[in-house]
Amino acid sequence: MKKRMRNVLLGALAAALMISAQPNVALAKEASEVTNQADFSTDVIYQIITDRFVDGDTSNNPSQELCDKGDMRKYHGGDWAGIKQKIEDGYLTNLGVSALWISSPVENIMTIDPSNQSASYHGYWAKDFFCSNSAFGSMEDFQQLVTTAHNHGIKVVIDFAPNHTSTAELGDVVFPEDGALYRNGSLVGTFSNDPDHIFNHESWTDYSTIENGIYHSMYGLADLNHLNGTVDTYMKDAIDQWLDMGVDGIRVDAVKHMPAGWQTNWLSSIYQEHNVFVFGEWFTGGTGNDGDMTAFANNSGMSLLDFRFANAVRAAVGEKSMSMEDFYQVVVDTQNDFDEVNDQVTFIDNHDMPRITTLAKENQASVNEAYVLLLTSRGVPTIYYGSEQYLTGSDDPYNRGDMTRFDTNSKAYRIISALAPLRKTNTALAYGETCERWMNDDVLIFERQFGDDVALVAINRNQESSCHISGLYTNLPKGKHVDVLNGVMNGTDITVRSKGAVSEFDLAPGACAVWEYHTQENGLQIGDVDPGMGIAGNTVAISGSGFGTNGGSVSFGTTEATVVSWSNTCVEVQVPAVGAGEYEITVSAGGASDSYAGFRVLSGPQVCARFQVENAQTDYGSNVYLVGNVAELGNWDPDQAIGPFYNATGSICNYPNWFFDVSVPAGAAIEYKFIKKDGAGNVVWESGSNHTYTLPESGTTTITCGWQN
Ligand code: NOJ
Ligand code: NOJ
Ligand code: CA
Ligand code: CA
């Protein structure tokens, strides 16, 4: 991993650090079933389309026009009471899931969308982000769901879609709701009568560029203008209300379609109050690197759903259109591309693609192989509700069928319930790096390791032929290792001889096996820091192993942080008052220490500013960037400049005028300049003196300058 820099200090130096650490006496974390909301490394998420899971309360079902079990585009009655039932009856806990991701809980339109005859059963057509979707339950029902989940050791992630409200534009079609946005019942604005510019009005995106996708609408969904101060405050206050109810994480819809700078400013305000896990949906169809997506994952302050991993599993064991060698190459590439590959959220199917069983032409063995890969690979695994029961369904809405059975004996259920708990006990699965031990077109044997914890995973996707395995080496300790799957997928036990040589064995047709070793005595090592960005005073969770139970010290660079809680596997600290920039975090305890580089401290609370520069003529291949005197503007380093700027959005800027939305420190007096940079990194600075501006303490702002020739 790029960001990791391990230096285990032993002896006198560490002892000295320990003594200086005395003022920060460790506080024992209060006993609670759910700890560490920000770090999901050891969790398994279960994604539920709330409407399609369990109808626990028929009294909240919408009227018949909207609710019809025979129509896949209407509500079916599922709700929070139903999810609560399945937590209480053990279906979810016995499966081993420790987090739920549920449909967006906010009030949606309660009319039929005339363009597709659909109701808002999926939750993506918001009307009032401050109220609950009455079909899912009341605010009180929601609170009960969160409390019940927490009492069962389950975290709650809500889907949240701040990009848009409901559909409002398609030719001559009249949409009864007109995309209206309400705040706690009061009208904020409508799409077609929008004097305050609550919405963008750029028509449908053609998806041709990132810029086009951000400021245009996604198939007519009324696209919110995040640079509008009312919208900005609205989204900060709205998410705060849900997080105040104990929500542990947010799945942010359509992050590719909102300004990245606005999102960083929004996240910063979230992290000021809540130490939670946020991951975004940046849809991508292939397995190759998408530079914009990777930059977003590494710089925005949130993790992403890992579509590259999903697409690779689906291709390798679902459709067999990619070899296991190619699959492993995607694992290697993503490990290099993402700064924090273990923080990305993995899956094998979801509500926007054919279910894995359908993709695999109903070959259940292939589905099981996909689950083994999902649950043992790097990243936080997500199980899409019902696929553990081999539900089928191709495209939306047919991939969002009702949960028809809760069979705890399904093979997939048994595989998941064998592997999910291992993510809690064996740190190799949560934090380990991945290395290949043996492979050919059909077989992949890979190993994950974190300190002394090791997991070795074998998959033979060829369901006709067995494969003789010789020359396999592992870091598992010497001796016999039983298959964690207990032979459910025809795996065998293995014997490790001296120097890690594994005795030859046959991997049966379609066999999968997992062998592991873990120890309570694993040394002090940082596995993850969440979130990876924040301001002084924010709480940050540092997870890993061997922190001990006697406390210790944590520093950001050379500045010591105040410890909020301390356990053997997780330390929470407050970001100290240090200058903005990238910091190495060091945890020291009991004579050992470990460091983790790359935590980004922001200058302070953030606001979002739109910078516009007029009349900046460029040669082909050159673009405009922004650089200035604060860390958020790259500290005058052209390599850290913000951009490339956009220049093709009708109502905002067109070439030779350029714009970009940037997260900047609230209230700061900034100095900045625009630069032109070409692909080779050649820089042309604006002449004249620096531009200056004092940013507002809150809200948004637009700053317009002419390019200084
Ligand atoms: C992505 C969601 O996953 C999809 O289901 C939804 O329709 C769009 N974003 C718009 O919210
Ligand atoms: C370097 C640039 O060349 C110049 O234009 C700018 O004014 C200064 N940085 C600011 O310190
Ligand atoms: Ca109901
Ligand atoms: Ca948008």
Side-chain angles (χ1 to χ4, degrees), residues 534-556:
I535 68 172
N538 285 7
T539 300
V540 168
I542 303 165
S543 57
S545 66
F547 301 143
T549 48
N550 298 321
S553 69
V554 177
S555 61
F556 283 57

Side-chain angles (χ1 to χ4, degrees), residues 45 241 362 570:
I45 302 173
Q241 175 184 304
E362 308 202 12
C570 182

Side-chain angles (χ1 to χ4, degrees), residues 275-554:
N275 184 220
V276 292
F277 184 57
V278 184
F279 57 99
E281 177 228 14
W282 185 295
F283 190 92
T284 184
T287 58
N289 190 17
D290 169 341
D292 292 308
M293 177 183 82
T294 304
F296 188 89
N298 293 344
N299 305 323
S300 65
M302 73 169 87
S303 297
L304 287 183
L305 280 158
D306 191 351
F307 278 83
R308 292 172 73 185
F309 177 85
N311 295 333
V313 175
R314 291 166 68 83
V317 299
E319 294 174 300
K320 297 197 171 66
S321 57
M322 175 186 255
S323 70
M324 292 305 279
E325 280 146 338
D326 290 342
F327 168 79
Y328 180 68
Q329 191 57 45
V330 176
V331 173
V332 172
D333 293 345
T334 48
Q335 185 159 293
N336 292 329
D337 295 335
F338 291 119
D339 284 351
E340 306 290 346
V341 75
N342 286 327
D343 262 355
Q344 310 307 315
V345 177
T346 52
F347 57 100
I348 55 176
D349 55 1
N350 70 22
H351 59 304
D352 295 325
M353 56 181 68
R355 281 192 184 266
I356 185 76
T357 302
T358 297
L359 183 87
K361 302 205 167 55
E362 308 202 12
N363 179 325
Q364 296 192 354
S366 301
V367 174
N368 299 339
E369 291 161 22
Y371 276 123
V372 173
L373 276 178
L374 173 70
L375 289 155
T376 56
S377 293
R378 88 293 177 290
V380 183
T382 304
I383 292 155
Y384 182 48
Y385 84 100
S387 286
E388 81 279 13
Q389 299 295 342
Y390 307 107
L391 293 194
T392 56
S394 51
D395 292 324
D396 153 15
Y398 304 101
N399 52 2
R400 305 167 179 185
D402 293 308
M403 191 70 182
T404 46
R405 51 181 182 271
F406 291 89
D407 176 6
T408 54
N409 268 316
S410 90
K411 209 164 182 178
Y413 189 98
R414 284 187 286 147
I415 289 164
I416 296 164
S417 56
L419 295 179
L422 198 57
R423 297 194 69 99
K424 290 275 174 207
T425 52
N426 188 319
T427 60
L429 293 183
Y431 310 115
E433 294 187 33
T434 308
C435 87
E436 167 264 320
R437 288 296 195 176
W438 204 104
M439 66 178 171
N440 64 25
D441 268 13
D442 285 333
V443 172
L444 175 62
I445 305 181
F446 64 92
E447 188 155 282
R448 314 247 349 259
Q449 182 163 8
F450 187 70
D452 293 333
D453 284 7
V454 178
L456 182 68
V457 181
I459 293 172
N460 177 12
R461 71 167 185 183
N462 189 321
Q463 293 169 16
E464 270 81 53
S465 334
S466 67
C467 183
H468 186 70
I469 308 294
S470 67
L472 174 66
Y473 286 84
T474 178
N475 284 347
L476 285 167
K478 208 169 158 181
K480 186 177 158 186
H481 294 275
V482 298
D483 172 19
V484 176
L485 291 168
N486 216 351
V488 169
M489 290 191 68
N490 300 322
T492 55
D493 301 344
I494 52 168
T495 304
V496 178
R497 293 177 285 121
S498 59
K499 297 197 177 122
V502 179
S503 298
E504 295 186 17
F505 65 101
D506 285 320
L507 201 53
C512 294
V514 179
W515 307 282
E516 65 105 20
Y517 170 80
H518 66 269
T519 170
Q520 301 294 338
E521 312 298 311
N522 216 12
L524 191 162
Q525 286 175 100
I526 302 175
D528 203 6
V529 173
D530 285 291
M533 156 193 115
I535 68 172
N538 285 7
T539 300
V540 168
I542 303 165
S543 57
S545 66
F547 301 143
T549 48
N550 298 321
S553 69
V554 177

